[in-house]
Structure formats: C-alpha cells, structure tokens
Amino acid sequence: MREFIIFYYRSGALLTEFEFERKIKADRVFLMLQNVMNSDYIRELGKTVIGFYNFTIIKSENNEFLLSDQYLSTVALAIKNRFFNVSNRHMGMSDMMILIPLSGKYYAIFYNGYIPSYISSNKVNALSQVQVDEINKVIINNSYTKCICNNREALGRALTKFEYQSPSATIAGGNGVHMGATLKKEVFLYDRDKKAWELFTGNDWVHYRDLGRNDRCACGSGKKFKKCCIEYIEICVRMYVDIEHERDNYKISDYAIGEKGLAEFYRKG
C-alpha cells in the first residue's frame, strides 16, 4: 500500500492540483518529493486504508478499465459536508471508495459505505459493460490531463461522462484573520449526491426549502415536490445544519489518519 500511495502522490494530476498553490513547477516538484519522503505519513495512511476499509476486486473481461493520471482513483459514496480544505473523497474519510489499478482487467477496491449491488466484498466481481462504464466514469473524472485505456471504444464512452473541474479555492475568516485553501474536485458515484452537491454549492436549494410536500417542485418539472427533488433538498438541509462540523466527525475511525489537504501538504515540520 505504501508504494501505491507514493505513485498517487507523484502523479501528474496531483502536480496539476499543486499548480493552484505553487506556480513554479520546480517548487511544486520539490514540495511533492519532500512529502512523499515523509515515511511516517505515508506508512500511517497505508495502515488506515488496509485496516479500516473493506476490500474487494473488480474485473473487466475485455480489459476495458481506464487508468487515470491520478493513478489511484477516489470517489465519495455519500455527501458528508462541504469542508474547508478537503473533499468528500479524501482517504481516511467514511463513505468513500479507493480504486487501485492492477491492470486493464482488474482493479482492487477499498471502501466504506454503500457500494453498488454488483460489487461484493472479498471476491473477484466480474462486471458487465454497463458496470465497467460506471466505474470508468469515476476514473476519468479523477483525471486532469490524461487518461488511458486498452480499449478505444471504452475510452470513448468514458469521455462522454468527463466533466472538467479545476481545483477550487475556499476562503475562511474571522476576527481579522483570513485563511485560504485549495480543494481537489469532488467526484460522487451516485447521481443523487452529485445533484444535491450542485444545488447546495450553487445555493439554489434555498428556493426549495419552504415548499410543502404537495407543492409544485421549484425545478419546473411540474411534479409535486415529494415526487421530484425532495431527496436532494433533504441532503442539502442536513449539510446546512451540520456545516460547522469538522471533518474529524467523518473520519472512518478515531484511530485512523486522514489524507492531507493540499494546503496541509505544504506545511513543513
């Protein structure tokens, strides 16, 4: 696991994310290497993945799995909250999945939370083409500049699901003190969570929160609220109520270490 995490940290995607903090490439590379050589952090993060997540393997009979330029792919299995300096898919968090490439045919998976019904623990799960495409959607959306595949058709199908998002900046302040951080893009496995995230971060959910269950939905579908967007808004309301909760509330265990946010990754000592 240590080697897998090192491959992840030296990936082209992570250097792209670092660009939003450090413009000089040599500076970015130096800081990356400095942290990759932090053996205590790498070792403890590896122990967290092995010790606190469930394990399984998925298989593509036709070698159709993609490989992201982030190497490891991570995805949120549920929305936890909007955090200042980490994403919902950071390693060490609950309700997320880590995909480790073994070949175009096999991926190892470590996960916590609700996974798709076609994946079972501790076995080799042979996936259909539709299921492979769902996994490839996650992998390609972990990419920034490059993604490869043994199968041109599989790559073409994945490209239609790619949504480019640059890392986003957040600013927090109080009592005259202001801090900034860069967040890697959010990737959600389930469309429900993606829709709720878009409503929450765009602040559009406020147009729905005073609706009664039998009112017409504010999205304009003509359907009753209870038959349309209510599940997304319930997620948004929960996030709003919990907005002040720290990310430690969503750690997979009090004994687990969490993946560092980009800003933390630069700190020395």
Side-chain angles (χ1 to χ4, degrees), residues 22 27 30-31 34-35 38 260 263-269:
R22 302 284 176 133
D27 190 23
F30 175 77
L31 287 166
Q34 183 181 55
N35 283 275
N38 183 344
K260 293 181 179 180
E264 292 176 288
F265 206 70
Y266 297 123
R267 294 174 187 166
K268 299 179 180 179

Side-chain angles (χ1 to χ4, degrees), residues 191-206:
D191 290 339
R192 175 202 63 193
D193 298 321
K194 181 176 181 294
K195 176 67 173 178
W197 180 258
E198 291 170 349
L199 285 167
F200 188 79
T201 55
N203 209 36
D204 295 324
W205 72 281
V206 298

Side-chain angles (χ1 to χ4, degrees), residues 54-62 65 97 102 104-111 115-129 131-132 135:
N54 297 306
F55 175 77
T56 194
I57 292 175
I58 54 175
K59 177 182 179 182
S60 167
E61 297 286 1
N62 297 318
F65 284 132
M97 184 164 67
L102 304 178
K105 179 173 283 192
Y106 295 101
Y107 258 82
I109 288 180
F110 290 89
Y111 70 92
I115 56 173
S117 59
Y118 55 79
I119 299 177
S120 300
S121 297
N122 298 311
K123 62 177 290 187
V124 177
N125 300 267
L127 273 53
S128 69
Q129 185 184 91
Q131 294 161 354
V132 169
I135 297 299

Side-chain angles (χ1 to χ4, degrees), residues 8 35-36 43 55 70 81 100 102 155 208 213 228 246 256 266-267:
Y8 163 69
N35 283 275
V36 164
R43 181 176 59 252
F55 175 77
Q70 190 166 282
N81 216 311
I100 302 175
L102 304 178
L155 180 57
Y208 297 75
R213 291 176 57 84
C228 196
E246 298 294 333
Y266 297 123
R267 294 174 187 166

Side-chain angles (χ1 to χ4, degrees), residues 24 84 91 96 98 103 140 153 156 163 169 217 219 240 255 261 269:
I24 302 173
F84 171 63
M91 289 182 281
M96 61 87 63
I98 306 163
S103 68
I140 200 167
E153 289 73 23
E163 299 178 24
C217 189
C219 72
Y240 179 76
Y255 302 99

